[in-house]
Amino acid sequence: MTANTTAPLLRALASRAVLAVARDGRTLEDALRGAELGDGQRPAVWSLAFGTIRWFFELEACLGRLVSRPLQDLDPQVRALALVGLYQLAHGETPEHAAVAETVEAARALGRPRAAGFVNAVLRRFQRERAALLESVRREPAARFAHPAWLIDALKQDWPGGYEALLDAANAHPPMWLRVNLRRSDAVRYAVRLREEAGLESDGCAFAPEALRLSRPVDVTKLPGFAEGEVSVQDAAAQLAAHLLDARPGARVLDACAAPGGKACHLLERTPSLGRLVALDLDEGRNRRVRENLDRLGLEAEVVTGDACEPAAWWDGQPFDRILLDAPCSGTGVIRRHPDIKLLRQPGDIPAFAARQGRLLGSLWELLAPGGRLLYATCSVLRAENAAVIEAFLRDVPQAAEVTESARLFLPGQPPATGAGPGLALPTGAADTDGFYYACLEKRA
């Protein structure tokens, strides 16, 4: 297959992935996993689909101005392809003449030859009217921030002084953060190794001492010692969990909702002499990833498949000294890594997440030893899933004490930002990290 025929096919495949997300509610990862892609095709298709989904709300607004009929009347596949073409012209790096020609040819690759003229007209009109069109659509918040209106409103309420910066950060290309395995090395020595062996520059994080941010993302196979377990990929904000939990030697620790296992592995790396670590997840398939990560890093834990809300099915009755609840959430703090969240999440999902989070807290609290600590964590930036959940729990459970402030003493630097209410809230982009929330709760004896 020649380059001339490959390029339209890549755009056709990307448009199918976009449609699978926008119309069918599939994750982008799942949509691309189902596509028949060769090794050389995957990066290009992923880049096109990822970028189109990232800027979906802006691109849809533009498309609505470029056609004379309602968008819902368009062939959904042609509509998705037009968005891929608009993405290339508005944000891509492909030369414009090639982006237009190859997207037009992609209509034929999709079995819609009569749509080629329509796609050509839309993209060429965008080229002519680009500046005025973008200025016009960006007057609307959904297009300006490339997020759904309901989420913009929620973030404006929760982060009144910083929601614009948070939204812009959620549209930025995320950095590649590493976690150095303290059993093998440390951040200072590994940074030297990165420079000398891989030609990669990196810098650290004030509040995550094992973290290194690469100057540019690379395949993990390019990282010295990755296969041998010397380093893992994990955002610096996620690395706060092991510090805040403050597990001591000999402690019994439960990592609930543990998959894919990054935080459990970090706990074991920092405290090799833990008494016992149970990594619990509801899904056996996800637990396979936990075991793979443990094996690569040369670590041991008890991996259990079970429901954290039903501990009778898996708990041995011995209380835990530390519990990490990495609660299922909306994922709004990691949108820059998973832009399909913008399309997949709906306003009604948030109360459902909060209700489940409250149930998990209540169930796991019963497993915590007196004087023990439970760390509640989410990768959400919505107060309804974070401080509001903790506030409700503290009202209902008198023996629970919120000690997140004292937990900061275990950090070598101060976290960059806090939100209103209990716990520690980090907005997306703070110190170039993902958005996260943590709350430390101790059980009074």
Side-chain angles (χ1 to χ4, degrees):
M1 184 177 290
T2 67
N4 288 338
T5 58
T6 298
L9 177 61
L10 298 179
R11 284 150 178 78
L13 292 170
S15 73
R16 286 176 177 163
V18 169
L19 182 60
V21 175
R23 184 189 67 182
D24 303 334
R26 294 169 61 189
T27 66
L28 185 55
E29 182 178 356
D30 179 58
L32 291 171
R33 187 187 301 117
E36 295 182 2
L37 301 175
D39 291 340
Q41 296 175 326
R42 185 168 297 277
V45 174
W46 176 269
S47 178
L48 287 166
F50 190 98
T52 303
I53 293 298
R54 171 185 277 155
W55 298 106
F56 184 89
F57 290 92
E58 176 196 77
L59 302 173
E60 277 260 285
C62 288
L63 184 59
R65 305 287 181 92
L66 292 167
V67 299
S68 58
R69 47 182 164 157
L71 291 182
Q72 59 267 29
D73 291 347
L74 296 177
D75 177 330
Q77 186 62 76
V78 173
R79 177 176 170 182
L81 178 61
L83 295 177
V84 171
L86 290 172
Y87 161 69
Q88 295 172 87
L89 295 176
H91 300 283
E93 298 179 356
T94 304
E96 290 195 4
H97 68 278
V100 172
E102 291 161 2
T103 306
V104 169
E105 286 302 311
R108 298 185 175 92
L110 288 165
R112 290 163 170 80
R114 289 190 292 180
F118 167 80
V119 172
N120 183 66
V122 165
L123 298 185
R124 293 198 179 281
R125 183 181 172 192
F126 178 83
Q127 286 181 294
R128 295 192 302 270
E129 303 176 15
R130 178 202 321 259
L133 182 61
L134 288 173
E135 180 182 3
S136 175
V137 300
R138 287 173 180 169
R139 294 183 187 129
E140 295 297 322
R144 155 68 179 87
F145 295 110
H147 277 68
W150 72 267
L151 183 52
I152 296 172
D153 291 342
L155 293 173
K156 187 175 183 179
Q157 178 177 331
D158 292 349
W159 299 86
Y163 78 98
E164 292 186 346
L166 191 159
L167 287 162
D168 287 340
N171 288 328
H173 289 277
M176 186 172 181
W177 282 99
L178 306 180
R179 185 190 75 243
V180 179
N181 184 350
L182 288 181
R183 295 197 186 193
R184 307 288 185 89
S185 186
D186 58 49
V188 173
R189 285 187 291 162
Y190 192 78
V192 173
R193 192 173 176 193
L194 278 172
R195 186 182 309 113
E196 293 179 349
E197 297 184 24
L200 293 169
E201 296 297 326
S202 62
D203 55 12
C205 178
F207 57 84
E210 293 89 55
L212 287 173
R213 179 180 57 181
L214 295 183
S215 57
R216 56 183 174 86
V218 297
D219 189 275
V220 293
T221 59
K222 306 296 184 184
L223 299 174
F226 179 84
E228 293 76 28
E230 294 187 31
V231 68
S232 299
V233 177
Q234 187 181 43
D235 190 82
Q239 295 182 42
L240 272 172
H243 294 269
L244 292 170
L245 195 64
D246 187 35
R248 305 296 176 86
R252 290 170 51 85
V253 179
L254 170 66
D255 181 359
C257 312
K263 296 181 180 68
C265 291
H266 193 195
L267 287 166
L268 292 165
E269 290 168 358
R270 283 186 52 80
T271 313
S273 54
L274 286 178
R276 181 190 185 202
L277 189 143
V278 176
L280 174 76
D281 201 88
L282 184 61
D283 185 83
E284 174 58 28
R286 287 168 54 82
N287 267 340
R288 283 195 290 272
R289 293 189 62 193
V290 177
R291 296 186 184 95
E292 290 169 359
N293 281 320
L294 289 166
D295 290 344
R296 183 180 64 83
L297 294 164
L299 303 171
E300 293 184 4
E302 183 179 342
V303 181
V304 176
T305 300
D307 188 343
C309 284
E310 298 180 4
W314 52 267
W315 183 44
D316 64 5
Q318 297 297 311
F320 291 97
D321 303 298
R322 294 288 188 269
I323 296 176
L324 169 59
L325 170 54
D326 194 1
C329 69
S330 63
T332 45
V334 294
I335 281 176
R336 63 182 187 170
R337 301 187 189 277
H338 304 282
D340 48 359
I341 289 171
K342 300 179 188 181
L343 279 72
L344 300 178
R345 295 287 179 259
Q346 300 299 323
D349 296 338
I350 308 308
F353 275 119
R356 176 158 176 77
Q357 290 152 1
R359 290 194 298 272
L360 286 165
L361 260 177
S363 296
L364 294 174
W365 186 255
E366 300 303 315
L367 315 187
L368 186 65
R373 171 174 292 177
L374 185 151
L375 178 63
Y376 176 85
T378 76
C379 56
S380 170
V381 288
L382 296 176
R383 192 180 190 281
E385 298 179 85
N386 296 336
V389 172
I390 298 302
E391 287 171 345
F393 185 77
L394 292 171
R395 285 195 301 268
D396 294 340
V397 183
Q399 71 269 39
E402 197 262 321
V403 295
T404 313
E405 288 291 335
S406 66
R408 291 179 186 169
L409 298 176
F410 295 101
L411 303 179
Q414 286 297 312
T418 57
L424 171 64
L426 288 84
T428 307
D432 209 9
T433 68
D434 294 339
F436 260 82
Y437 175 83
Y438 293 102
C440 294
L441 306 176
E442 288 189 356
K443 181 179 280 189
R444 294 192 180 100

